[in-house]
Amino acid sequence: MSGPGLFDKYDASPAFCEVSGRADDPEIQRLFYKRLGKKTRAALARRKKRAEEELFNLGITFTVYFGEDTVDRVLPFDVIPRPITGSDWDAMEAGVKQRIAALNAFLHDIYHDQKILKDGVVPADLVTGNKYFLKEMEGLDLPHRNYVHVCGTDMIRDTDGSFLVLEDNCRAPSGVSYVIENRHLMQRSFPDLMENARIRPVSDYGVKLREKLSDCAPQGVDDPKVVLLTPGMFNSAYFEHVFLAREMGVPLVEGRDLYVDETDQVFMKTVSGPEPVHVIYRRIDDAFLDPEAFRKDSMLGTPGLMRALRSGKVAIANAPGTGVADDKAVYAYMPEIVRYYLDEEPILRNVDTYVCRREEDRKYVLDHLDELVVKPVGESGGYGIVVGPKSTRAEREEVGKAIRRDPSNYIAQPMITLSACPTLTGEGVAPRHVDLRPFAVTGESTWVLPGGLTRVAMKKGSIIVNSSQGGGSKDTWVLS
C-alpha cells in the first residue's frame, strides 16, 4: 500500500486488500490516506484500549463453551475500519436480496409441492432426511411465504476482489449488535476521523427489523404486538437478545412469560393482565420452541406455539424448519435453486463445494485433503474445520476416517485467500484476513443493513475469523 505514515510498510499481497484494493475511490483516499494514515500507532493503541474497556464496562460479551464450562469474553475490537465502496455494496445488496428470495421460494416448495425434489434438482433425501426438516411445517401457509425473516449471509472476497458466498445463516444469525455498537465506539473514539465522512448509517436496524416483522403479522391485525423470545440469560447471545429488544422497543420474554389459550391465541403475561401477541422473533432452536410439538422435556419454550402458528394466530420469525435451507450441503445447490425459482443467474457466486455424499466428490476430497478446507455439515462457529494446507498428517488421516465413516456429514472447499484489511497488531499495522456478514430482514420486501459484521482473524496468516476461535471485529463503512 502506498501512502503516508501509518501504512508506509503495509503490504497485504497476495490477498486483496479492502483499503488499497479500492484506493482509487476518492472517499477511501480522503479517510484512510489523508486522515487515518497520519495518526501514530501509539495514538491508535490508546483509543483501542479505551474502546475495549468500554465494551467490558457495557457488558458487551459473548460466551464460549468448553464442554460443561463457559467463559464470558469481550470480542476483540479493531480500531481500523473496513471500507466498502458504494458500487461494491450495491451489487452485493442485490445479490443478497436475490438469494433470500430464492431461499424463501425453496422453503415454501419443500413444505408444499416439493417440485424441486421431484424434478431432481436437489436430492430428496438431502432435504427430507435433514434433521432441520420439520414435518409439522408441511402444508402450512405463511404470510408473504416468508420463512427467512432475518438472514446473515457470510461472504468473503477472492484475490480479484469479487464477493463469494460462504454460508447462509437462516436460523438465528448473531452479531448485528456488534455492527451497531462498533459504529458507536468509532463515533466516540474517532470523531475527528468520521467528521463529514459519507458513511451510510446503521442506527435504524431496530426500526427496520420491527417494521419487517410487523409486515408478517396475522391478517386483520393493524397494530401487532411483537416480542423477542429468548432462552434466557445463560444463552451465549443473550446480550444481543437484550440489545435487539431494546432497539425494536419490544418486550424481551422467556417461554414462561407466554401462554397459548384454547383458541390458539398467544398471550403475554403482564402485571395488567394478558396481552395478545402477534409476532414472535424467537432466538430459541426449533427443538426447544414448543414442548407440545417437539422436545417434551424442554422448559425454554411455550406449549402450543405450533398450534398458534398453524391457526394463523401468530407469526414466528424465523419460521420453524428454516434450518434445512442453511445446511452446508444444501448450500452447494444454491446456484441451481436460484435458477430454478427465479429464472435468473445468481448475482453472487458460491465457493466451489465438494459434497462428500457424492461418490465422485468424496474420492476427490480424500485424494486432495492437503489442498482443501473440510467442514462438518452439522457444526458451526468454526468447530471441526480442517484447513488442509495448514493441517498435520495426523489431522488429515483423522478427518479422512471421519469422511469415510459418515460422508454425508462433510463438504470440502478449495482454500481461498481471504481478503485482508489493515489491523492494529502488536507489530504495528498489519494485514489480517476478514469476512463479512451483512444482515437482511424480510417482510413485504427485503432490506439490507448497509454495514454488516466484519470479522477479523487476529492471528497472522489465520483464516479462522470466528469469535469462538479468537477472531475479532471491525466497524464496516459502506461509503456513499
Side-chain angles (χ1 to χ4, degrees), residues 150-151 171-181 202-211 213 226-230 235 237-253 281-283 317-318 439-441 447 449:
V150 183
C151 189
R171 283 172 283 164
S174 293
V176 71
S177 57
Y178 290 102
V179 177
I180 298 165
E181 287 295 348
V202 297
S203 57
D204 54 351
Y205 179 79
V207 173
K208 290 289 186 182
L209 176 59
R210 181 171 180 171
E211 176 185 305
L213 293 177
V226 180
V227 300
L228 192 150
L229 177 59
T230 175
N235 184 269
Y238 184 69
F239 159 73
E240 179 150 299
H241 303 167
V242 175
F243 178 90
L244 288 173
R246 188 179 69 227
E247 290 287 307
M248 284 195 288
V250 306
L252 178 72
V253 300
Y281 180 27
R282 57 85 178 228
R283 298 299 294 259
N318 286 333
F439 290 87
V441 289
W447 175 80
L449 176 68

Side-chain angles (χ1 to χ4, degrees), residues 3-4 25 31 67 72 101 129 132 167 186 191 195 217 274 277 307 311 344 358 367 371 390 402 415 417 451 468:
D25 183 277
L31 295 177
D72 286 335
Y132 295 112
E167 192 169 2
M186 288 300 294
E195 184 180 7
V277 171
R307 274 193 288 112
S311 298
E344 299 171 359
R358 298 191 293 227
D367 289 343
E371 302 170 14
K390 299 186 177 184
M415 179 97 167
T417 301
S468 54

Side-chain angles (χ1 to χ4, degrees), residues 16-28:
F16 176 85
C17 178
E18 297 291 338
V19 174
S20 62
R22 291 290 185 267
D24 55 344
D25 183 277
E27 193 67 357
I28 288 178

